[in-house]
Amino acid sequence: MPSITFFHRFSRAFRDNHSHLNLVLLCTAVSGGGLLAYGENVALAPEEAVTDKKKVVVLGTGWAATSFLKDLKNPKYEVQVVSPRNYFAFTPLLPSVTCGTVEARSIVEPVRNIFNKKKVDVQFSEAECFRIDAENRKVYCRSSVNNNLNGKEEFVVDYDYLIIAVGANVNTFNTPGVVENCHFLKEVEDAQKIRRTVIDCFERANLPDVSEDEKKRILHFAIVGGGPTGVEFAASLHDFINEDLVRLYPGIKDLVKITLLEAGDHILGMFDKRITAFAEQKFRRDGIDVKTGSMVVKVSEKEISTKELKNGGEVKTIPYGMAVWSTGIGTRPFIKDFMTQIGQASRRALATDEWLRVAGCNNVYALGDCATINQRKVMEDIAVIFKKADKDNSGTLTVKEFQEVMKDICERYPQVELYLKNKQMRDIADLLKEAKGDDKKESTELDIEELKTALSKVDSQMKFLPATAQVASQQGTYLAKCFNRMEECEKNPEGPLRFREDGRHRFKPFRYKHLGQFAPLGGEQTAAQLPGDWVSIGHSSQWLWYSVYASKQVSWRTRALVVSDWTRRFIFGRDSSSI
């Protein structure tokens, strides 16, 4: 007992003071002798006090906000985090939580664990923002803790910089009955609720006084939305039922049905066509009913009404026991109010520039699903680009003159580089030659009208970034690096030329680097679409999915828990309790 007490005390002391211990080494010799080597607990010299700290308010604890907090290292900021949840959730594994493959606690990390040991002063408030006053730099918040101890439910936070990373709501498209009757899959609580409902459906259908038709209805699981989340949940549910629940409920296993409803022509529309075709074929082989061209128009307590777009708009009703709605994202109410305040009322998400600043608000940034980057068009700036490149004011541009500003143009307008790549052109000389029809590249000269012709199709390459965790995470990391180097880049700008003004931009614009995407299809098979148009489908991709999702966990704690959950599932099966 004393040895256990000593161990607990030592462990606690190490956790609390490990940054101050130079060396602690305990070892016991095989011969029975003991050796204790230790270093003195020397207090680190306190850093010079940082005066005039800038107040940074971060709204949210999702992918974008957490990445920002993890990578922010400049102690000259005082950070206030406001979010209704005090943890970060690894959302790509939510479908696994719905079926007991992974436990909810394994994919969440308390945010205080993330920033507790940082040099930056970070405070957290469990509350939700309900109004932003950009003119006066104030954020109005409401406590989300029941029975607030202070008796104050609302408070105001001032800021020098505001970072909005609150994600988005589920988009119901104002379909009647969705909110009242459907499950969503955006939060950990949603996944836990779905898990309980699945088990409840089997328990209800197993009652002796339930009719055969009612059992079929109760055991009909409808998933609305054929995107990655809907497809992965359908695959996870199929595996859960066929690998675990059929053994526990053998009398009703043949009555189970899973239906995937998609309004478009195919599921996984954002993936390569090879993946889409394989997924549809595999689901049909597995007995998952994939209904494409079926737009849900109404959801009642026991039936889903769909308009069959392929059959002249015929309306059909489908009885169901549980429905999961996964059809895209919508704007949060207070973000809509803020957008109205700053003149963006007609947009679906906050518009930012390439540096993630909200348009019209130099000190407000927006990341993740609540925002979209409004990439500037080349043709809007064609006149100033021409003037900047024409250093001798000759009224024409040579290839050499254009090449001198080409790096800045590609950095400021990435669609130019993408256009050249898609056209298999080596450089701008090929583009100018095509527009001019001149074989002598160096002698090619263009006036402004000919330059407009050469670049007229470049802006067609612009695309909006997908609303994924990968994009949000990269945006948070990018913005943290900008904040870390704010003062340095004020003195020595590192961004592209300012074509409409003098000098350079402080920072390089945000550039998303696509690292690939996965679509787990059940049966230990996953489809992977990786950079370079490389598509991999099968068991090898499943192991790649395991390794990537384990490595992307926010802490060693969650990494270990997720791996242990996967191991437990392989050995003992999934947890089928309704707890």
Side-chain angles (χ1 to χ4, degrees):
M1 192 72 177
S3 61
I4 296 176
T5 303
F6 170 76
F7 176 77
H8 284 168
R9 288 179 179 174
F10 174 78
S11 176
R12 182 182 303 170
F14 182 78
R15 287 198 305 268
D16 294 342
N17 302 291
H18 72 277
S19 60
H20 303 305
L21 292 173
N22 291 335
L23 173 66
V24 173
L25 175 63
L26 293 171
C27 55
T28 303
V30 175
S31 61
L35 174 65
L36 172 64
Y38 64 94
E40 293 181 2
N41 185 355
V42 181
L44 297 178
E47 296 184 6
E48 294 184 7
V50 179
T51 58
D52 298 328
K53 289 186 177 183
K54 294 289 187 181
K55 180 70 173 289
V56 180
V57 174
V58 179
L59 302 181
T61 50
W63 281 93
T66 301
S67 296
F68 175 82
L69 294 170
K70 282 182 65 180
D71 292 310
L72 185 66
K73 299 174 182 177
N74 193 334
K76 294 186 178 181
Y77 296 109
E78 176 187 343
V79 183
Q80 175 73 50
V81 182
V82 179
S83 175
R85 65 183 193 189
N86 67 352
Y87 59 85
F88 163 78
F90 192 86
T91 51
L93 285 178
L94 283 179
S96 297
V97 175
T98 63
C99 300
T101 306
V102 172
E103 293 299 323
R105 69 177 187 134
S106 302
I107 67 166
V108 300
E109 181 71 16
V111 291
R112 288 184 172 85
N113 286 354
I114 296 171
F115 54 69
N116 250 1
K117 296 168 186 175
K118 294 179 67 68
K119 294 181 180 180
V120 183
D121 180 15
V122 184
Q123 301 296 323
F124 175 77
S125 297
E126 188 171 338
E128 61 179 349
C129 173
F130 65 89
R131 186 161 75 90
I132 298 172
D133 184 354
E135 184 177 351
N136 297 305
R137 298 189 180 186
K138 294 181 183 295
V139 173
Y140 292 81
C141 307
R142 184 181 295 115
S143 171
S144 59
V145 181
N146 293 330
N147 301 321
N148 190 287
L149 296 178
N150 298 337
K152 278 174 133 184
E153 294 186 356
E154 295 184 2
F155 57 94
V156 181
V157 182
D158 297 314
Y159 65 84
D160 294 304
Y161 297 103
L162 175 63
I163 298 172
I164 305 173
V166 296
N169 283 337
V170 177
N171 193 350
T172 65
F173 301 97
N174 297 319
T175 306
V178 171
V179 174
E180 296 83 0
N181 300 300
C182 289
H183 291 265
F184 302 122
L185 192 47
K186 290 284 288 182
E187 306 288 346
V188 172
E189 294 82 3
D190 296 333
Q192 292 174 311
K193 188 177 179 182
I194 288 173
R195 177 173 163 180
R196 288 192 296 268
T197 304
V198 170
I199 301 300
D200 288 345
C201 285
F202 274 84
E203 291 294 351
R204 277 189 291 151
N206 201 49
L207 293 174
D209 59 343
V210 179
S211 67
E212 191 84 355
D213 290 339
E214 183 65 4
K215 287 181 179 180
K216 288 182 179 179
R217 183 193 68 79
I218 293 172
L219 294 175
H220 184 194
F221 301 95
I223 299 124
V224 184
T229 302
V231 167
E232 185 175 350
F233 172 66
S236 298
L237 181 61
H238 174 269
D239 287 354
F240 184 34
I241 292 171
N242 287 273
E243 294 174 8
D244 298 272
L245 296 185
V246 292
R247 294 183 289 103
L248 302 176
Y249 305 90
I252 55 177
K253 63 180 183 179
D254 296 328
L255 305 178
V256 180
K257 184 179 181 181
I258 301 174
T259 299
L260 184 61
L261 301 167
E262 166 58 37
D265 293 332
H266 298 281
I267 61 173
L268 297 177
M270 70 294 299
F271 280 76
D272 186 277
K273 292 181 179 178
R274 289 168 287 180
I275 292 177
T276 297
F278 180 86
E280 291 177 351
Q281 292 169 6
K282 183 181 185 305
F283 274 16
R284 290 190 173 103
R285 287 197 305 269
D286 290 344
I288 299 175
D289 188 11
V290 178
K291 291 183 179 293
T292 56
S294 295
M295 184 174 70
V296 176
V297 294
K298 182 181 179 182
V299 182
S300 65
E301 187 178 356
K302 296 182 178 181
E303 289 183 333
I304 293 177
S305 299
T306 63
K307 180 187 287 187
E308 301 302 312
L309 303 179
K310 296 179 180 179
N311 296 328
E314 178 186 358
V315 176
K316 292 184 178 180
T317 58
I318 304 171
Y320 74 93
M322 185 187 81
V324 175
W325 187 273
S326 177
T327 60
I329 58 175
T331 311
R332 296 189 184 277
F334 85 94
I335 294 294
K336 287 183 180 179
D337 294 340
F338 179 56
M339 290 168 64
T340 301
Q341 178 190 146
I342 61 176
Q344 295 189 21
S346 60
R347 302 187 63 90
R348 68 167 185 82
L350 277 167
T352 73
D353 62 15
E354 298 88 337
W355 292 269
L356 308 182
R357 294 174 302 194
V358 174
C361 304
N362 288 332
N363 59 335
V364 180
Y365 297 81
L367 327 176
D369 293 355
C370 68
T372 182
I373 296 176
N374 192 15
Q375 174 63 50
R376 193 165 182 84
K377 296 180 179 179
V378 173
M379 297 308 292
E380 291 179 0
D381 295 336
I382 193 70
V384 293
I385 291 173
F386 186 91
K387 185 177 180 180
K388 205 78 158 184
D390 185 19
K391 293 182 179 180
D392 59 2
N393 295 320
S394 63
T396 60
L397 285 183
T398 64
V399 170
K400 185 177 179 181
E401 285 177 322
F402 205 90
Q403 284 177 333
E404 288 178 357
V405 296
M406 187 60 188
K407 182 179 178 182
D408 292 301
I409 290 173
C410 287
E411 208 166 73
R412 182 69 180 84
Y413 311 94
Q415 61 266 38
V416 174
E417 189 174 11
L418 186 60
Y419 183 80
L420 293 175
K421 181 180 179 181
N422 290 342
K423 286 286 187 178
Q424 296 182 338
M425 295 180 179
R426 288 172 296 177
D427 53 32
I428 192 64
D430 290 336
L431 180 63
L432 300 184
K433 173 188 169 185
E434 182 184 65
K436 188 75 173 177
D438 191 344
D439 290 335
K440 298 178 181 179
K441 297 180 182 179
E442 292 296 327
S443 64
T444 299
E445 293 190 11
L446 289 86
D447 59 27
I448 190 167
E449 293 302 322
E450 290 170 327
L451 182 63
K452 287 180 181 179
T453 301
L455 299 179
S456 61
K457 298 179 181 178
V458 168
D459 289 327
S460 64
Q461 301 298 309
M462 294 196 312
K463 296 179 180 179
F464 288 110
L465 296 179
T468 63
Q470 189 177 160
V471 171
S473 179
Q474 290 186 26
Q475 288 178 337
T477 298
Y478 163 83
L479 192 61
K481 290 179 179 178
C482 291
F483 272 68
N484 289 337
R485 307 181 67 243
M486 189 80 76
E487 292 182 353
E488 180 183 341
C489 291
E490 285 281 3
K491 299 174 183 176
N492 302 300
E494 62 183 19
L497 281 170
R498 294 179 182 270
F499 287 106
R500 290 185 173 273
E501 302 170 23
D502 295 329
R504 291 184 171 272
H505 291 278
R506 280 182 303 177
F507 309 108
K508 294 180 179 180
F510 170 74
R511 290 290 175 265
Y512 168 60
K513 185 177 181 181
H514 184 62
L515 302 177
Q517 53 189 344
F518 294 94
L521 303 175
E524 293 299 312
Q525 294 193 64
T526 290
Q529 185 171 328
L530 304 175
D533 196 33
W534 181 34
V535 170
S536 175
I537 304 172
H539 298 288
S540 59
S541 299
Q542 178 73 16
W543 286 104
L544 178 62
W545 179 83
Y546 282 136
S547 62
V548 169
Y549 276 25
S551 65
K552 290 297 181 181
Q553 294 297 316
V554 74
S555 70
W556 282 104
R557 169 190 161 275
T558 53
R559 211 167 279 146
L561 288 173
V562 165
V563 172
S564 67
D565 285 346
W566 284 335
T567 304
R568 169 186 53 77
R569 196 268 293 179
F570 277 118
I571 299 174
F572 301 108
R574 298 170 181 83
D575 181 7
S576 58
S577 65
S578 59
I579 297 175

